[in-house]
Amino acid sequence: MSPSRPPALEAEDARQGRLPATEADRARELAAWLDWVNDWARLMQLPPCNEASPARKRRGHTPLALVFSPHPDDECIVGALPLRLRRESHWRVCNVAVTLGSNLARRQPRWQELRLACELLDFETLQLAEGGLEQVRPDTPIAQPALWQAHVDKAAALLRREQPALVLLPHEGDGIATHMGVHRLALDALQAAGYNGLVAQTEYWAPQSGANLMVESSRQDLARLVQALSRHEGEVARNPYHLRLPAWMADNVRRGGEMIAGAGTAPPAFGFATLYRLTRWLAGREQDDLPPRMAGAAERLSLA
């Protein structure tokens, strides 16, 4: 099977106008995506890659990761780290749908697609406002200060209520106005809430220079992310992000191997990975970057 085409199961579902209805159907769909990812791995001559076994679930407080997503589908694209924390260390993961896009007619369908995607990843999801926030852009704090303050108040209230251990947000230069606006919004909210914890800055539309964490995705996890991303039907019909996700992750290994370990070093034997900049925050202020780290899929990931 060519890696430029979706699995046969997805094509059949598209022809029939349906999504897998039962757990068994979804398992078969995931297996088809895994076969497709394995074709990528064979073309890249990758060694076998196993994923870590989940830790035993402990009683008591469950850490929470909040993902501030500029648009529905970002939770899948940058989801390698939260997915592994959820699967391997039993963290709660909640996707915060900051906006539902600029197309009014697509907002409700995009919310439904987001819920289906998050269900596959076992993520919770919520909106900061019904239908998403408006004008989340870098220039809004100056152009519309009252609107911006209302946005910050909503996000800060969420942070105070949920007390996450990890917050994911786009980096400052992530190429798209809404991504850069969410960066500014999340930072303002972290400061207003007096946040204590870890922040992971993500990238997609433009690379960030300060990445210090490379998280490998096993083939199984990559198949899960592609399967979930395929639920964003309106977006992948316009631009098939899901089919291009393995190529993007493979390129992250090329860049991250030298950015994090040092120029001229050999990259790790990862097939697919996502890059983050991980920092500590105390009382609403950024403190320092965590030491550089490359987290292989076979090791159990924990940010304790």
Side-chain angles (χ1 to χ4, degrees):
M1 183 187 300
S2 166
S4 66
R5 299 182 61 192
L9 272 177
E10 188 199 45
E12 175 62 23
D13 284 337
R15 283 193 295 270
Q16 298 296 328
R18 66 173 188 268
L19 289 172
T22 68
E23 189 65 35
D25 291 336
R26 288 189 288 270
R28 282 193 291 271
E29 182 195 34
L30 178 61
W33 280 118
L34 180 57
D35 286 344
W36 179 79
V37 169
N38 282 331
D39 284 340
W40 275 91
R42 281 189 286 272
L43 286 173
M44 295 168 62
Q45 301 181 22
L46 297 175
C49 176
N50 297 317
E51 57 183 22
S53 300
R56 181 177 298 176
K57 193 170 184 179
R58 298 180 180 179
R59 294 182 180 179
H61 175 69
T62 301
L64 169 66
L66 281 182
V67 184
F68 279 83
S69 293
H71 304 98
D73 69 22
D74 288 312
E75 80 291 340
C76 300
I77 292 169
V78 303
L81 172 59
L83 178 60
R84 287 190 56 185
L85 290 172
R86 175 65 186 152
R87 188 179 57 76
E88 297 170 19
S89 298
H90 307 291
W91 282 48
R92 286 178 57 214
V93 176
C94 182
N95 176 69
V96 182
V98 180
T99 85
L100 296 179
S102 58
N103 186 336
L104 291 174
R106 280 282 299 146
R107 285 182 179 175
Q108 190 57 33
R110 292 193 77 175
W111 172 246
Q112 295 303 323
E113 291 165 2
L114 175 61
R115 293 177 65 185
L116 290 170
C118 286
E119 181 182 2
L120 287 173
L121 297 175
D122 200 20
F123 292 179
E124 304 164 30
T125 193
L126 56 83
Q127 301 178 62
L128 284 176
E130 186 68 27
L133 301 182
E134 303 285 352
Q135 296 298 312
V136 183
R137 301 171 57 87
D139 58 352
T140 304
I142 301 301
Q144 301 181 68
L147 176 64
W148 188 258
Q149 188 58 53
H151 291 351
V152 172
D153 290 345
K154 288 183 175 69
L158 172 66
L159 290 166
R160 293 189 193 99
R161 182 175 73 246
E162 296 295 338
Q163 296 291 308
L166 173 68
V167 173
L168 292 94
L169 54 97
H171 75 99
E172 184 177 16
D174 203 23
I176 300 294
T178 303
H179 282 236
M180 295 185 286
V182 170
H183 171 87
R184 173 70 184 272
L185 172 65
L187 289 192
D188 286 356
L190 290 168
Q191 293 170 7
Y195 176 67
N196 298 301
L198 297 176
V199 170
Q201 295 190 45
T202 64
E203 59 178 48
Y204 185 60
W205 292 106
Q208 58 184 324
S209 60
N212 58 5
L213 174 64
M214 181 160 64
V215 175
E216 183 184 17
S217 287
S218 67
R219 298 173 197 177
Q220 292 90 338
D221 269 3
L222 177 53
R224 292 180 182 100
L225 291 168
V226 173
Q227 181 190 28
L229 190 51
S230 74
R231 291 299 184 267
H232 294 281
E233 291 180 305
E235 294 307 295
V236 301
R238 177 180 62 84
N239 190 340
Y241 302 118
H242 62 319
L243 302 184
R244 294 168 174 154
L245 195 66
W248 176 70
M249 283 192 169
D251 193 54
N252 290 338
V253 176
R254 175 192 65 82
R255 291 192 302 115
E258 297 207 25
M259 286 173 57
I260 294 174
T265 59
F270 293 177
F272 310 101
T274 306
L275 299 174
Y276 305 87
R277 180 189 171 204
L278 200 59
T279 59
R280 292 186 184 90
W281 280 60
L282 179 65
R285 295 290 182 272
E286 183 179 308
Q287 301 299 303
D288 55 1
D289 288 353
L290 268 66
R293 180 179 176 189
M294 292 184 283
E299 65 174 282
R300 186 177 299 126
L301 186 61
S302 172
L303 297 182

